[in-house]
Amino acid sequence: MRLNVNIVICLFLCAEVTGIQSLQQIPWLPCMLVDELVKFNDEGHAETQYQHRNAGLQFGHPGDSALNPNAITFLVTGSKVDMRKYIEGAVVEHQLQCEIRRYSTEGIQVRWPGLGAQDHDIWFTSTLRHTDGLFVITSFLRHTPATPTPGQADYRNWAAIADIEMLTTSTAMLVFTRTPSVWVGLMKQPSLHCQFDVDHKAVDLTVEWRLQQRGERTRLFSHSRRSGQREGGGVELKGIGRGDASLTLPLTKQSSEGTYVCLVSVPPLFGSHEIALHIMEPPRVSLNVDSVISLVETEKQKVVCEAEGYYPLDVEMEWFREPSGGGGGLLPEKLDTVLYSSHRHHQDGTYSLSAFFLLHASMHDSSSKYFCRVSHSSLRMPIRKSFTLIVTEVDSWNLLWLFFGCGFILVMVATLCVMLPRLSSEKALLREHARVVRADLHGYRQSIPTLVLLLFISVLLYQEVYFGNRVLLSQRVRESV
């Protein structure tokens, strides 16, 4: 009830200031003080009880009266560090969440170097968080008690705070980020924003970046202004001099996902912000058919919807059918005959999945639209890929020709079955005849030398007889003369 009253008072106070364009013009902001009551059990272990109490930040000067007397007021007086100037543009009050907590220096007895600081100062943190995740600002508020009490800065000896008490504070340091959560695709080079401000020239300043993954911590960058030592990269030293400790990452991959922590230390204060980096890669969706497919009635077609290159793993794929005409208020019908492949994991860390079904062409489904719907965490709206089915009737002449064609094929098959044995026997006879011919030819080839020799002898004998007769004839002629 009191918190609602605080919000009404804040809206009234803000409405009194005409032309409000930024938080710098708001004099009072409702907050929640998360108070801690620390007790020790019988075993000596500390047990903490948390109490949520109505409080508020009031921006003004020392001695100002509380604008809301029904809540604990933290009067934030003038300082070099002003949390309001880091909020750009117009901000509606209900978009801000303000939380105040006590801060323990963990026994570090170091006097703050800022103007007006005392050894017995106590500390609070104020965190302003935008509900849409646009920024987070953590400010360290220093309060000097009117009556110093030894050890009251320690969490075990914190002084009680009354319900309507006013505490005058000043902002000593703040840590600010505009990227509390980052969603980025693969092979990108994002910048993780981290900014800080201190109310004095901090000599003992340390800036670090760490990566937390599955319970393990890895130091990515470290710089100490006092020693000048530097480890890692991704942060510009000139930027640190201006209060900018933003980290630029190398090209992202699946292993880049995790929680990145920006730490800024000026003893005895240690400020940090966690930035969650999420890898998101939207799927590429395609079908294995054209936007319009034509089938003959009773024909079948396998239709595949492919989702590729998405990360993380979770994806939802569904097939629907819209009846022809699309009117009459008929809702798309979800197909229950869809089958899915297993997830395929690629080398770049992304995944792929297929959803398919067997389409039976029917005249009833002609002109119907089928669409595949893919939902993924990287998509604001599901992706839809569709096609229209056109079914034609089977022609009677085509059926007749199909019948005769099938009959002709059957007759030919039967004829072959009958003729194959005969052809086999004829083939065997042909083989035998060829063997005999080859044998005869082989015998002929062997007798050729003998025939040639006989022919040669016959020629010799013929010459001998011929010349012998001529000689004998010549002798007889001479004798007769």
Side-chain angles (χ1 to χ4, degrees):
M1 181 65 182
R2 286 186 177 181
L3 182 59
N4 295 333
V5 173
N6 294 341
I7 295 176
V8 172
I9 294 175
C10 176
L11 295 176
F12 172 77
L13 292 171
C14 296
E16 291 294 318
V17 183
T18 60
I20 289 180
Q21 296 296 329
S22 68
L23 192 64
Q24 285 184 291
Q25 297 171 283
I26 298 178
W28 192 85
L29 189 65
C31 298
M32 182 66 68
L33 171 62
V34 182
D35 208 355
E36 300 179 16
L37 180 61
V38 180
K39 295 182 180 180
F40 292 88
N41 56 24
D42 297 337
E43 298 178 356
H45 300 296
E47 295 180 350
T48 304
Q49 296 180 354
Y50 296 95
Q51 297 179 345
H52 294 78
R53 309 173 65 184
N54 294 330
L57 293 177
Q58 179 175 323
F59 302 94
H61 306 280
D64 288 350
S65 299
L67 296 176
N68 182 7
N70 298 318
I72 302 171
T73 300
F74 288 83
L75 179 62
V76 183
T77 58
S79 169
K80 177 186 175 183
V81 180
D82 188 353
M83 67 182 77
R84 294 176 296 175
K85 74 177 184 180
Y86 292 93
I87 302 176
E88 300 177 353
V91 177
V92 183
E93 284 73 24
H94 70 266
Q95 293 179 324
L96 287 178
Q97 293 178 347
C98 178
E99 183 179 272
I100 300 174
R101 290 177 178 266
R102 298 178 187 257
Y103 180 80
S104 175
T105 59
E106 299 293 341
I108 300 176
Q109 302 297 327
V110 177
R111 182 175 180 174
W112 184 252
L115 182 64
Q118 302 295 325
D119 292 332
H120 55 275
D121 288 341
I122 60 177
W123 296 91
F124 296 87
T125 60
S126 169
T127 301
L128 297 181
R129 194 182 307 271
H130 196 280
T131 55
D132 293 336
L134 300 183
F135 59 79
V136 179
I137 304 175
T138 299
S139 304
F140 291 84
L141 306 178
R142 180 179 56 82
H143 170 64
T144 302
T147 56
T149 302
Q152 65 180 353
D154 190 277
Y155 70 95
R156 291 167 291 191
N157 300 305
W158 275 331
I161 300 175
D163 289 341
I164 57 174
E165 187 173 348
M166 174 181 280
L167 293 87
T168 302
T169 66
S170 63
T171 306
M173 185 178 82
L174 65 79
V175 183
F176 167 49
T177 180
R178 291 191 182 94
T179 56
S181 293
V182 177
W183 286 265
V184 66
L186 294 170
M187 301 302 292
K188 306 297 182 182
Q189 207 166 5
S191 177
L192 307 183
H193 177 260
C194 183
Q195 196 169 347
F196 64 93
D197 197 359
V198 188
D199 66 355
H200 66 280
K201 182 66 175 180
V203 177
D204 195 6
L205 170 70
T206 303
V207 175
E208 288 188 7
W209 276 95
R210 298 174 184 173
L211 172 60
Q212 297 179 175
Q213 290 177 316
R214 295 177 291 274
E216 297 182 0
R217 294 183 180 180
T218 304
R219 179 181 295 178
L220 304 176
F221 174 83
S222 176
H223 170 70
S224 173
R225 179 176 289 175
R226 178 178 292 276
S227 64
Q229 293 182 351
R230 173 184 176 180
E231 296 180 9
V235 180
E236 296 183 3
L237 294 183
K238 292 182 179 180
I240 293 178
R242 301 189 304 268
D244 186 3
S246 299
L247 174 68
T248 301
L249 296 178
L251 294 176
T252 54
K253 48 189 177 180
Q254 184 182 1
S255 59
S256 303
E257 199 169 32
T259 302
Y260 292 78
V261 185
C262 174
L263 300 101
V264 180
S265 169
V266 180
L269 305 181
F270 295 87
S272 66
H273 275 304
E274 294 185 351
I275 300 176
L277 179 68
H278 307 276
I279 302 296
M280 290 284 187
E281 197 67 28
R284 302 184 302 272
V285 182
S286 61
L287 302 180
N288 70 327
V289 294
D290 296 330
S291 58
V292 177
I293 62 174
S294 298
L295 298 177
V296 179
E297 189 177 10
T298 71
E299 191 177 355
K300 298 178 182 180
Q301 171 77 46
K302 182 180 179 181
V303 184
V304 183
C305 180
E306 185 81 18
E308 301 177 284
Y310 58 86
Y311 184 88
L313 178 63
D314 295 332
V315 68
E316 184 177 2
M317 301 179 67
E318 297 173 303
W319 272 104
F320 293 89
R321 183 179 70 87
E322 290 183 352
S324 59
L330 296 177
L331 296 176
E333 175 189 357
K334 183 179 179 180
L335 303 183
D336 55 2
T337 58
V338 180
L339 300 177
Y340 297 89
S341 67
S342 59
H343 287 278
R344 298 180 294 278
H345 195 192
H346 304 292
Q347 292 183 351
D348 61 356
T350 61
Y351 297 90
S352 297
L353 181 67
S354 300
F356 53 92
F357 70 98
L358 189 61
L359 178 61
H360 297 264
S362 171
M363 294 302 301
H364 174 73
D365 296 329
S366 185
S367 301
S368 296
K369 178 181 287 188
Y370 292 80
F371 66 89
C372 173
R373 186 175 68 184
V374 178
S375 303
H376 189 256
S377 56
S378 63
L379 301 173
R380 292 186 177 181
M381 296 290 292
I383 298 177
R384 288 178 47 154
K385 294 289 183 178
S386 63
F387 69 90
T388 302
L389 173 64
I390 303 298
V391 182
T392 57
E393 294 182 358
V394 180
D395 193 353
S396 58
W397 284 104
N398 291 336
L399 285 176
L400 186 61
W401 282 110
L402 180 63
F403 173 77
F404 282 113
C406 293
F408 177 75
I409 293 173
L410 292 175
V411 170
M412 293 300 297
V413 170
T415 304
L416 288 175
C417 291
V418 174
M419 294 298 295
L420 278 177
R422 297 182 180 181
L423 291 175
S424 299
S425 60
E426 292 292 336
K427 189 175 181 180
L429 291 175
L430 289 174
R431 285 201 207 98
E432 182 64 23
H433 180 69
R435 187 185 62 79
V436 172
V437 171
R438 284 196 298 271
D440 292 342
L441 289 175
H442 181 69
Y444 294 153
R445 284 196 297 268
Q446 289 181 347
S447 61
I448 285 174
T450 304
L451 292 174
V452 171
L453 180 60
L454 292 175
L455 180 61
F456 180 72
I457 295 173
S458 299
V459 170
L460 292 177
L461 291 175
Y462 172 79
Q463 290 178 349
E464 182 67 25
V465 172
Y466 176 76
F467 287 107
N469 290 334
R470 287 183 64 111
V471 173
L472 182 58
L473 182 60
S474 298
Q475 290 177 356
R476 288 180 179 177
V477 170
R478 285 195 299 267
E479 289 178 358
S480 63
V481 175

